[in-house]
Structure formats: C-alpha cells, structure tokens
Amino acid sequence: MHSKRFYTLSASCPDRVGIIARVSGFIAEHQGWILESRYHADEGNGTDPDSGRYFMRIEVRASSLPFHLAEFRERFRPIAEELSMNWKISDSAVRKRVVIMVSKQEHCLYDLLARWQSKELDIEIPCIISNHDAFKGFVEWHGIPFLHIPVNPENKQAAYAEVQRLFEEVKGETMVLARYMQIISPELCAKYPGQIINIHHSFLPSFVGARPYHQAYQRGVKLIGATCHYVTSELDQGPIIEQDVIRIDHSDSVDDMVRYGKDIEKAVLARGLRYHLEDRVLVHGNKTVVFR
C-alpha cells in the first residue's frame, strides 16, 4: 500500500492485442504516474464462454492526473466500451464502509475489530448486525452501533428485508459474515453480488452440520483449512477469494483442531477482506483472479 493517494483501476475484458497499450496510453496521455500494474491472460479453450479473458489492476498516483475520479470515469468510459470491459475505479483516500454480521462465535469478530482499531483495516464500520445479542456490550464498547435482528424459520423474509434496509441506510458497501450462522436469503444475494463475503472451514462438503471438527477427527483428517468466498444463492459455492491450510497429525485432539481452525479462519477472512477492499479480486463467470 502506497502512502500517497492513488486510484485503482481494475477491469476484465475479452482478450485481444493492444489492451495494455490502450489503457496505459490513456493514462500516459494525461501524465498519469503508474505505481503498480498486474495483468493476467486467461487462455480460451474454444468451448468455455468465460475463457479467453484478460484481467488487469493498475494503481495511478492521484496527484499526477489533471482531473478527479469522476472525470477519470467519464474520460475512460469510451475506451472501456471499445474493449467491452467490466471495470471500476476507486480512490485510496475514501474508506470503504463494511457492515459485519455475526452469530455466537466471536473469534472472527474480535480479530476484525482488533485490525480495525489498529488501522490495519482502514475502513468504516457503520454497524454490526447479529441474530443474537451476545456481543452487544463488546461491540458498543468499541463505539460501533449494534443491531440485533433475530432470525427464525417464521420471520426470515422480514429479517433479511430489515438487513437490506439497514445496509442501505448506513450506505454499506461490503457485508462480511464473520461466522454468521444463518443462510442469507436469495434476494439479498441477488441484490449485492460480489459484496457479501463469507468464511467457513474447508471440510465442506464432506463434513456438514454442527460438529464438523468432531467428524473430521473421527475420520483422521490430516489437513485443516478455511475458505473465504463471495456469497451467492448456492450455499458455500460462491467465487473463492482466499484459502489456506495447516497440517495436523494423530497427536492433535478435537480441541486442538477447533483452535487451529479458528486461527486459520481469522487469518483467511482478514486476507480475503483486504484483497476485496483493495480491488485485487476480479470475477468473471466461474473465473476468479486475485492479484495478491
């Protein structure tokens, strides 16, 4: 991360000759100073419509350009249309607004708030939403509004309508499920594609239910991991942002496995969220590119 203000352009488009020249030429034409650039060409196979795609991420020093972000968007739009781009540009000086959702497991919430408090995650947290009130005091101690929205089989539609209302009211940009143990409604998933992030253990789909570590222990699993991904209406099948694993052996107890699992979930969620906030994640169809 650079200390001076910069704009981040992230985009994908059908692969062709001259993409870098066209984009970097536009930036150079306006005396733009490129600080960092990353590219990836996904080779087409002739049958997959999502292949043959070109991905890019470029950071440009804001002070080097003769115009602000809104004008950059207007001037760049014709080029993006010419290249059939899916694109966005963001400003490092504008903090992203992140709404955290949590249930009864505290480890991911505690970790995110510690990173937020230390400015490692330089974000705004306008509120934290939970289907339980267990962390109300802890959250409010941090000076963050805590919103309790109970969820049960009878009120799910109304509950998630309220979540959506609050998310829009506080101008949320990203929703993080920090061990929020409810299935997000299809309507909410459709409303915010690429904006809802989840974390779960990597035993899925083998060990489902409330006691996955006990099941894994009984089967003699040797690897524990976690997956951070975008939420879609297909449960735990959204585009993957980040994953990691650690090795265990026969000497590790169930309690050891649970502790290792919590540690890796915290780390993977924090990394995945950071990649998302820094516009390092580009998704097109089934293809996910992460510029670490």
Side-chain angles (χ1 to χ4, degrees):
M1 184 70 70
H2 309 288
S3 58
K4 294 185 178 180
R5 182 182 181 185
F6 60 91
Y7 300 144
T8 301
L9 172 66
S10 57
S12 74
C13 62
D15 201 0
R16 52 173 275 190
V17 173
I19 298 171
I20 297 176
R22 195 77 179 89
V23 175
S24 61
F26 165 82
I27 295 170
E29 176 186 329
H30 297 289
Q31 305 303 308
W33 187 334
I34 294 177
L35 299 168
E36 178 181 308
S37 59
R38 301 288 300 276
Y39 310 99
H40 173 74
D42 183 37
E43 294 184 5
N45 59 19
T47 59
D48 184 355
D50 292 328
S51 65
R53 196 85 180 165
Y54 200 78
F55 300 83
M56 67 171 60
R57 179 184 183 275
I58 301 175
E59 292 180 2
V60 183
R61 181 169 291 171
S63 61
S64 68
L65 293 167
F67 41 70
H68 295 299
L69 200 60
E71 189 172 345
F72 188 111
R73 289 192 179 99
E74 288 304 311
R75 288 174 179 259
F76 186 73
R77 185 168 285 111
I79 295 174
E81 291 174 353
E82 172 193 330
L83 297 172
S84 301
M85 275 187 171
N86 293 331
W87 66 287
K88 63 179 177 178
I89 186 164
S90 60
D91 185 344
S92 67
V94 178
R95 290 178 177 174
K96 306 288 178 64
R97 296 177 66 79
V98 177
V99 172
I100 299 174
M101 298 183 68
V102 65
S103 289
K104 287 185 173 180
Q105 296 186 37
E106 73 285 352
H107 56 288
C108 287
L109 172 66
Y110 284 17
D111 183 71
L112 291 177
L113 290 185
R115 294 174 192 267
W116 165 76
Q117 201 164 37
S118 68
K119 303 296 184 184
E120 179 184 334
L121 282 176
D122 195 16
I123 59 176
E124 300 285 350
I125 305 178
C127 67
I128 291 175
I129 298 172
S130 179
N131 56 322
H132 300 280
D133 61 4
F135 303 123
K136 178 178 171 63
F138 175 75
V139 169
E140 291 180 345
W141 180 83
H142 284 80
I144 300 172
F146 179 88
L147 304 171
H148 179 211
I149 304 178
V151 179
N152 57 59
E154 289 73 38
N155 79 338
K156 279 195 173 185
Q157 185 173 352
Y160 287 119
E162 179 65 3
V163 169
Q164 180 179 328
R165 186 191 69 79
L166 289 167
F167 188 71
E168 293 180 356
E169 182 180 278
V170 302
K171 296 180 172 58
E173 297 170 274
T174 299
M175 193 181 300
V176 178
L177 309 186
R179 300 304 287 155
Y180 181 73
M181 306 305 289
Q182 292 288 329
I183 298 175
I184 297 296
S185 70
E187 293 78 15
L188 208 57
C189 296
K191 180 72 175 177
Y192 305 114
Q195 292 177 259
I196 308 176
I197 294 174
N198 192 23
I199 185 73
H200 64 72
H201 60 77
S202 63
F203 296 145
L204 296 174
S206 297
F207 306 122
V208 298
R211 295 165 64 86
Y213 287 95
H214 293 74
Q215 298 175 57
Y217 177 79
Q218 294 298 328
R219 289 287 298 276
V221 163
K222 298 299 185 285
L223 290 173
I224 289 178
T227 295
C228 177
H229 65 92
Y230 289 116
V231 174
T232 65
S233 56
E234 256 189 297
L235 183 62
D236 295 327
Q237 298 296 310
I240 292 171
I241 304 170
E242 177 66 343
Q243 291 179 302
D244 207 350
V245 295
I246 55 173
R247 183 168 290 279
I248 60 172
D249 62 28
H250 59 276
S251 66
D252 292 302
S253 67
V254 173
D255 288 342
D256 291 330
M257 292 170 63
V258 171
R259 178 164 49 86
Y260 301 153
K262 287 182 178 180
D263 285 345
I264 201 165
E265 284 175 10
K266 291 185 295 186
V268 170
L269 179 59
R271 286 202 303 269
L273 177 58
R274 181 167 58 83
Y275 295 153
H276 167 80
L277 295 173
E278 294 178 1
D279 296 321
R280 295 182 180 276
V281 187
L282 287 84
V283 179
H284 183 78
N286 295 321
K287 182 69 177 183
T288 306
V289 170
V290 182
F291 292 121
R292 293 181 174 83

